[in-house]
Structures are given as structure tokens and as C-alpha cells.
Amino acid sequence: MAVPEAVAGLAAIPGVRTAAQLKQPDSETPTASGALPVVPALAELLPAGGLRRGSTVSVSGSTALVLALLAEATQQGSWAAIAGIPELGVAAAAELGVDLERFALVPNPGAEVVAVVSALIDGFDLVVLGPNAVRGVQPQLARRLAGRVRNRGAVLITAGAWPGVDLELRVSKRKWHGLTEDGFGHLEFRDVVATSRGRGAAARPQTVAIQLPGPGGAAAAGRPLARRSLTEAAG
């Protein structure tokens, strides 16, 4: 598909605006300044308590965390798009709280990934770029896209490392709950540990325990992490 046709197709989605229309924000969507909200379980990871507009965020180790970051914002009127994750299921997105009426998928952006992502940044508040697409973007193009994100007041979330990223999120120590020792029962929720580190206000790492997914599907706060004693920390 040619780039102009791709842009026209994106602009045809109800509620999606092009760059020329961004000067007249929809009264039903959040303000273009400040931060986009996240579920309370994730707020401690983010310096502003939400996803700062104009920023880039990389997520490593969890597609579920990528989806969880979109949940609260879409429920409160923001639009989100994911490009380059063909295996992603909408059922998983809905379970984690994403409002599917404000959610678009571009499974395979093809060779024109930069042009497609640029078009998405023009019309969506949150844009996610999948791991294969991330690896195909050269540093110079990554800086160009980051500049576009800043100018449009969007948020770019990448599933994988990104040059010059504002905030890095990593997930580790995954443990499912619900099965008995002999293997019976069903999976109920998963404990994970999430760590954030970035620039400026995010320079000091933050680590929190999260249930991802939680018992009800959406991300929930996990048990507080045990704090080491000063002796252990010094050693």
C-alpha cells in the first residue's frame, strides 16, 4: 500500500485526526498537555504518575505491560494504535482494560514503517511499535520520530530498546498463581517486578511489584517488595 493511501485509511477512522486537525482538539479527548493517565498500579513507575506527552518509552520483557499502559488512557478518551505486533490478540487487550473502541491495529506496517508510524503519531495519542519494527529503525530515523512525538504531544511506546529513549521499563521475576502442586486448577494472576529508569526526573530507578494480569484481568498492585537492611544494601 502506498503511503498516501495508508494515511488516508488512518484518517478515515472515526475520531482520528491528522496533523492539520490537531489545532482543534476534540472536546471529548484529554488535553494535549501534561500526562496521559495509567492504572494506579503503574503510576509509581512513571515520574509524572502517568505517560508524559511528547515522550518515548521502551518496554522490555512484557507485551502485557505495553497493553496495560494503554488501558486507563483509552478508557478516558485517548486513542491508541499498535503497529508491528501481528500476533497480538484484541481479547488480550480487552482483558487488560484497553477500550477497543479507541484502539487500532496495524499488524504489519511493511517497508514503509517510518511513514506509517509518522502518520499514526499525527492522529493518535499513544502509538506502540512492535519489536520487529523497532529493530528495523535506524538511530537517525528514531530521532526523527522522537522529534515528531514531541511536536505532536503524543507518546511513543516501543517493544524493545529505542535510541535516546526518555524512559525504560523492564519486567522480571514472573510467577503465575492458581495451579496446585500437582498441576490442577487454573491460572488466576501473575506476579511480576517492574523497574523504570530514564532521564531527568526518572534518573533514579523505581521498582514495584505488580500483578500482570491481575485477578480481574487489569494490572493490579502486587505485594510490597521486601526492603533490604542498610547492612545488606551496603554489602
Side-chain angles (χ1 to χ4, degrees):
M1 179 181 291
V3 174
E5 294 175 358
V7 174
L10 292 169
I13 299 175
V16 178
R17 293 166 290 147
T18 63
Q21 297 169 317
L22 288 176
K23 294 181 180 179
Q24 299 177 351
D26 188 333
S27 61
E28 296 182 357
T29 59
T31 177
S33 61
L36 295 172
V38 295
V39 295
L42 303 181
E44 191 177 340
L45 280 172
L46 309 172
L51 293 164
R52 182 172 56 82
R53 284 186 177 271
S55 67
T56 55
V57 179
S58 69
V59 178
S60 299
S62 177
T63 302
L65 179 55
V66 171
L67 293 173
L69 288 169
L70 310 180
E72 188 70 14
T74 57
Q75 290 179 18
Q76 294 196 26
S78 295
W79 276 82
I82 294 182
I85 310 182
E87 69 277 12
L88 181 69
V90 293
E95 184 180 57
L96 283 161
V98 177
D99 184 348
L100 299 185
E101 294 187 355
R102 292 184 172 273
F103 177 64
L105 283 174
V106 183
N108 184 10
E112 300 291 350
V113 58
V114 173
V116 171
V117 173
S118 294
L120 292 172
I121 291 169
D122 283 354
F124 288 79
D125 300 290
L126 294 141
V127 177
V128 175
L129 191 55
N132 291 335
V134 165
R135 286 191 288 269
V137 177
Q138 299 299 315
Q140 183 178 357
L141 294 176
R143 289 191 292 270
R144 185 188 305 172
L145 286 174
R148 196 177 193 93
V149 168
R150 287 192 296 271
N151 291 336
R152 304 305 185 205
V155 176
L156 177 63
I157 301 174
T158 64
W162 187 257
V165 71
D166 295 306
L167 184 68
E168 297 178 77
L169 304 180
R170 295 183 179 274
V171 170
S172 61
K173 299 182 180 179
R174 307 166 187 82
K175 182 180 180 180
W176 280 101
H177 295 268
L179 296 180
T180 62
E181 291 184 1
D182 52 4
F184 289 94
H186 63 276
L187 299 176
E188 296 177 355
F189 64 93
R190 182 177 62 172
D191 282 329
V192 304
V193 173
T195 302
S196 66
R197 171 179 285 180
R199 299 187 294 181
R204 183 177 181 180
Q206 296 290 334
T207 301
V208 298
I210 303 170
Q211 293 178 350
L212 186 68
R223 295 180 180 178
L225 296 172
R227 296 188 178 278
R228 296 176 300 173
S229 67
L230 292 177
T231 303
E232 292 174 327

